[in-house]
Every structure is written in structure tokens, then in C-alpha cells.
Amino acid sequence: MSFVRNGDDVLLLRHPDHGDRFAGLWNGVGGHVEAGECIRAAARRELREETGLEVPRLSLRAVIHEAGLLGRAHAVFVFVGETDARAFDAPDGFEIAWHPIAQIESLPLVPDVAELLPRALAATEPFFVTELFDGADRVTKIQIEAEAQRV
């Protein structure tokens, strides 16, 4: 997943209202890693496919272990980047928009975005997160690794 900045704005994608997870909620732009694909290359490809934006410099800022999301476990790699471009192409069924970073908490967000986005934008190195879900798409616990736990 990637969060791309343009000045004081961040590009977010709104999940379709009738999707299988996070229906109607705003999130970063992302998708799946294809077999044999580098994780950063996958993030660039997903940005290009879902927005038409080329963001050559993406920095890894978080690794999230999602346990129980739709009954599965996932690893999510969170990247941040910047672009001077504001024009984008939204894929069918999705809404994409620039939002002021200072106002994102007023949006209907995927449950962890309000907490993790400011931290990811400010981070200088990756941080690690464990998220527990109820078997569907509702978060029951978010645990961010404390600095003191790092070796």
C-alpha cells in the first residue's frame, strides 16, 4: 500500500460501497504482489495501474501483519512517496481523490489509516504493526511495536 503526497495533500482510494472489505472507506493505494515481483516494484505498478501516476521514489515506512482479515493473514508493506502531478486516472468502481493530510480524520477511513498515516509520513525508518481482525473486516486490536522492543 502506498500513500503519495502532493504538498500538504495525500492521495487516497475509496473502496466500493458493496466490496468484500472496507466498503465505502478511504485507504492508501495498493494491491497484491505478483509471483516473482519485488515488493517495491509491486507498489509502483499498483500506483501506475490504479492512478496512472509514476512515483519513482517510494520509501518503506511500515510492515503490518493483519491476522484474521476475511479469515486470512496478510503482510502489508506501507510505502510513502511524493509527486508533483495532481492528475490521475481512477479505475472503474473506485473513487480516488487528494485530501488535506490535516483533515483525514474527518473522512470515513479504513480503521488503521488515521493512526498509521501520520506516523508513516513522519517516519525515517520502517515501524512494525500487528492488527487483529474479527474474521471479517473489523479491527479488534492494533499494536504498534514500541521503539524499546526493537533490537
Side-chain angles (χ1 to χ4, degrees):
M1 169 186 330
S2 297
F3 293 104
V4 178
R5 291 179 71 153
N6 177 281
D8 292 330
D9 294 338
V10 64
L11 189 65
L12 298 176
L13 177 145
R14 187 175 170 273
H15 289 263
D17 288 331
H18 303 301
D20 66 342
R21 62 181 167 174
F22 308 130
L25 301 179
W26 291 94
N27 201 0
V29 177
H32 299 299
V33 178
E34 295 179 359
E37 187 174 34
C38 169
I39 293 168
R40 191 184 328 255
R44 284 189 191 106
R45 176 186 49 75
E46 288 290 342
L47 277 167
R48 189 172 47 256
E49 288 176 359
E50 295 184 12
T51 69
L53 291 174
E54 293 286 343
V55 183
R57 186 170 174 192
L58 290 174
S59 300
L60 179 65
R61 288 298 176 251
V63 178
I64 303 170
H65 176 226
E66 296 177 333
L69 175 61
L70 301 179
R72 299 183 187 97
H74 302 91
V76 179
F77 300 87
V78 179
F79 292 90
V80 297
E82 292 191 32
T83 183
D84 292 330
R86 292 215 35 113
F88 53 81
D89 300 316
D92 291 340
F94 289 88
E95 181 181 351
I96 297 177
W98 292 104
H99 294 278
I101 295 166
Q103 297 174 11
I104 62 158
E105 290 187 27
S106 67
L107 297 170
L109 299 168
V110 168
D112 60 359
V113 172
E115 185 173 356
L116 299 180
L117 175 59
R119 188 179 191 115
L121 294 175
T124 57
E125 64 178 59
F127 59 94
F128 301 91
V129 181
T130 301
E131 297 181 351
L132 303 179
F133 287 79
D134 64 354
D137 68 350
R138 190 172 63 82
V139 174
T140 59
K141 182 178 182 181
I142 298 174
Q143 181 176 347
I144 300 174
E145 179 184 277
E147 278 295 320
Q149 293 175 322
R150 293 187 183 184
V151 176

